[in-house]
Each structure stands twice: as structure tokens, then as C-alpha cells.
Amino acid sequence: MNQKNEAKMIIGSDEWCAFPSLNIPAIKARVDSGAKTSSIHAINIVRFSRDDEHWVRFEVHPLQKNRKVTVNCEAQLIDQRIIKSSSGDKESRPVIRVPLSLGEKTWEVEVTLTNRDSMGY
């Protein structure tokens, strides 16, 4: 079945999803149809090299408002992008490409890493 004929998935404004390659089996995501790029709340972001490639190491608190659960993550760095928020502020963010699972489906997605402590999601 080609992608154009595939049934559309109905999702809510926030959904549970997973990032299997980051060892995050469940994380609540807010769906923002106006955003050009997805982002994940990450702390202690550190860039490093592995086998002459650029990588990034970071921590994620997958459970909202629970800082006791921390997942240590590593992913290949694919880009660095300037992201402009809805308030007009600009920030340079690392970009990774990872599989994202929602329900029975999985997609390769690009995600920026940023500290979102001041935001709800």
C-alpha cells in the first residue's frame, strides 16, 4: 500500500510515544501542528566525537514533573540549527535523527535538543 492511500491516524493534543534507540519506552509528547521542528527537553548536553563522527550525550526526564527518573542518552549529531520560538527568540540547537514510535507506527524523525524547564512540555 503506498503512503497516499494509507489510513490517517487520529491523535490528541498530547500523546504517549517512545524513542526506542534512546531507551525511552514512554514519554508524553505535546502535538504542535504549528511547529516546523520537533524538540525534546534535554539537559547536560555534551558534544563529543566517536569514530570521527559528531555525537551528543544528554539526559532526559521522561516523566513530566518527575526529576528522579533520568535516562542517559547518546545519538549521532546530524545538524545544528537556529530555531525561532513563537515569541521571536532564537536559539542554536543540536539536531539528532531517531526512530519515534506512536501506537503501532514508527517513523525516523529529526529532533532538536533544548532545555525546556520553563515550559510545560
Side-chain angles (χ1 to χ4, degrees):
M1 177 182 265
N2 94 26
Q3 199 168 8
K4 288 182 182 180
N5 295 331
E6 193 173 322
K8 292 186 179 188
M9 178 185 287
I10 298 172
I11 59 174
S13 61
D14 38 324
E15 293 284 349
W16 286 99
C17 61
F19 291 101
S21 67
L22 299 177
N23 296 316
I24 300 174
I27 189 167
K28 183 79 70 87
R30 180 175 175 271
V31 178
D32 182 354
S33 60
K36 291 181 182 177
T37 309
S38 297
S39 65
I40 191 167
H41 172 61
I43 57 172
N44 300 324
I45 301 167
V46 177
R47 290 167 180 79
F48 66 98
S49 292
R50 176 181 289 156
D51 300 326
D52 294 324
E53 295 176 331
H54 299 287
W55 283 68
V56 64
R57 178 179 297 121
F58 54 98
E59 296 174 11
V60 173
H61 297 296
L63 302 175
Q64 200 174 3
K65 298 178 182 154
N66 180 339
R67 293 175 184 247
K68 292 179 183 174
V69 177
T70 301
V71 178
N72 296 305
C73 305
E74 290 185 354
Q76 188 172 359
L77 184 66
I78 64 158
D79 200 4
Q80 186 76 24
R81 294 193 190 136
I82 302 295
I83 304 296
K84 189 166 126 180
S85 72
S86 56
S87 62
D89 295 329
K90 292 181 181 176
E91 178 187 24
S92 180
R93 297 183 187 172
V95 181
I96 61 173
R97 183 178 294 124
V98 290
L100 170 119
S101 298
L102 176 63
E104 300 295 316
K105 302 229 179 234
T106 300
W107 300 267
E108 282 284 319
V109 297
E110 292 184 358
V111 179
T112 66
L113 305 177
T114 186
N115 186 325
R116 299 174 63 91
D117 271 337
S118 63
M119 304 182 83
Y121 283 84

